[in-house]
Structures are given as C-alpha cells and as structure tokens.
C-alpha cells in the first residue's frame, strides 16, 4: 500500500512539472540578450497572455535595474526562573523592490499554454537595445546638465551686472 502511494505521488509531481515549459524553469542565457519569464492564469486567455508577457518584461526590468529596500526585525526574549525559562522569538522580514526601466526593443519569443490554462511567456531584450537606451539617457542627462550650467552662468552674469549697475528709476513727476 505504501509503495502505491509513493508511485502515485511521483507520477502526480511528474505530471505537474512536465506541463511547465522548460524555458520557464530554466530561462535561456546569452551574452547578447536578457531573458525574462512570466506566467498568469486569469479567466480569459487573452488577459492571461497579456499578464504573462507583462510579468516577463517586469522580470527583465528587475534584472536590469532594481532599487531594493529591506528591513529585518529579529526579536528574542527569555524569561523565567531556574529551569522553567520560556523563550519568545519573533523574526519579520520585509522587502520592497522597485524598478523604473525603459525596455524598448523587448520581444515576446515564446508563449505556452498549460493544461490548467496557465500561460507562460518568454521575452527577450537584446543587450544592444539596453546599451542604446542607456546611452540616450546619458546624453539627455548630459544635455540637461549643460543647459542647467549655462542657465546658472546667465543668472550669475545678470546678478553681477545688477550689482555693478543697480537699476535706478526716473524721478516721478507729480
């Protein structure tokens, strides 16, 4: 009877894992691309696909850039007399991840629909697209910094001019 249950459990585990596409559990690795995976099971196939692709893009965004804030609270208290001590222990972990990444050029490479209706998506983002986006952002930031610098110079010249030649008003005729 025990061997029957162990065989049943094994075949159920194989059935579950065999219905998940290999790309989801083992995303491709490449030097020239970043791969992201996502899954979703919604009431409509179209919504499931959109969510799975969106989550795959989010996966890429977190690989490219993420701000992570975390906190750990670890509390322990021991109280009692002699051999009747009581220990209270509490651990809390909180983590928040935020990303703000532009993914121009990300493409859906594969979509798989599982037997249970779960949609799995694989999205690829070429590294050259990432580098181009980063370069554009750097150029924009450099241009903005230069414009800010020039504006600051103009304000300084104006202040100097006003300091050396304060404005005077004409006398008012009454």
């Amino acid at each position: 009877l025990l061997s029957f249950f162990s065989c049943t459990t094994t075949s159920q585990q194989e059935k579950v894992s065999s219905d998940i596409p290999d790309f989801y559990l083992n995303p491709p690795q490449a030097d020239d691309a970043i791969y992201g995976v996502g899954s979703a099971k919604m009431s409509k196939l179209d919504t499931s696909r959109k969510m799975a692709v969106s989550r795959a893009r989010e996966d890429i965004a977190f690989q490219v850039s993420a701000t992570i804030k975390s906190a750990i609270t670890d509390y322990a208290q021991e109280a009692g007399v002699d051999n009747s001590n009581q220990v209270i222990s509490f651990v809390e972990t909180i983590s928040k991840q935020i990303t703000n990444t532009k993914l121009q050029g990300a493409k859906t490479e594969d979509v798989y629909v599982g037997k249970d209706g779960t949609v799995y998506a694989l999205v690829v983002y070429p590294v050259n697209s990432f580098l181009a986006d980063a370069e554009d952002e750097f150029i924009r930031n450099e241009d903005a910094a230069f414009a800010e610098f020039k504006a600051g110079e103009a304000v300084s010249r104006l202040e100097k001019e006003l300091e050396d030649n304060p404005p005077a008003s004409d006398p008012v005729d009454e």
Side-chain angles (χ1 to χ4, degrees), residues 20-106:
I20 298 173
D22 186 49
F23 71 74
Y24 187 77
L25 297 176
N26 302 300
Q29 301 289 320
D31 291 334
D32 62 343
I34 301 169
Y35 289 88
V37 294
S39 67
K41 183 179 178 186
M42 309 298 284
S43 61
K44 293 185 178 184
L45 181 62
D46 185 52
T47 307
S48 295
R49 184 185 186 288
K50 286 178 185 174
M51 285 299 301
V53 170
S54 174
R55 289 175 177 166
R57 287 183 175 157
E58 179 182 290
D59 185 30
I60 292 171
F62 277 110
Q63 290 177 58
V64 171
S65 171
T67 301
I68 301 170
K69 296 180 181 180
S70 65
I72 297 174
T73 303
D74 188 351
Y75 174 80
Q77 178 183 15
E78 184 175 348
V81 179
D82 296 331
N83 291 335
S84 62
N85 288 350
Q86 290 185 337
V87 176
I88 297 171
S89 181
F90 173 80
V91 175
E92 178 181 47
T93 303
I94 301 168
S95 178
K96 180 180 181 180
Q97 298 183 34
I98 302 167
T99 184
N100 183 9
T101 307
K102 180 180 169 184
L103 293 181
Q104 191 169 340

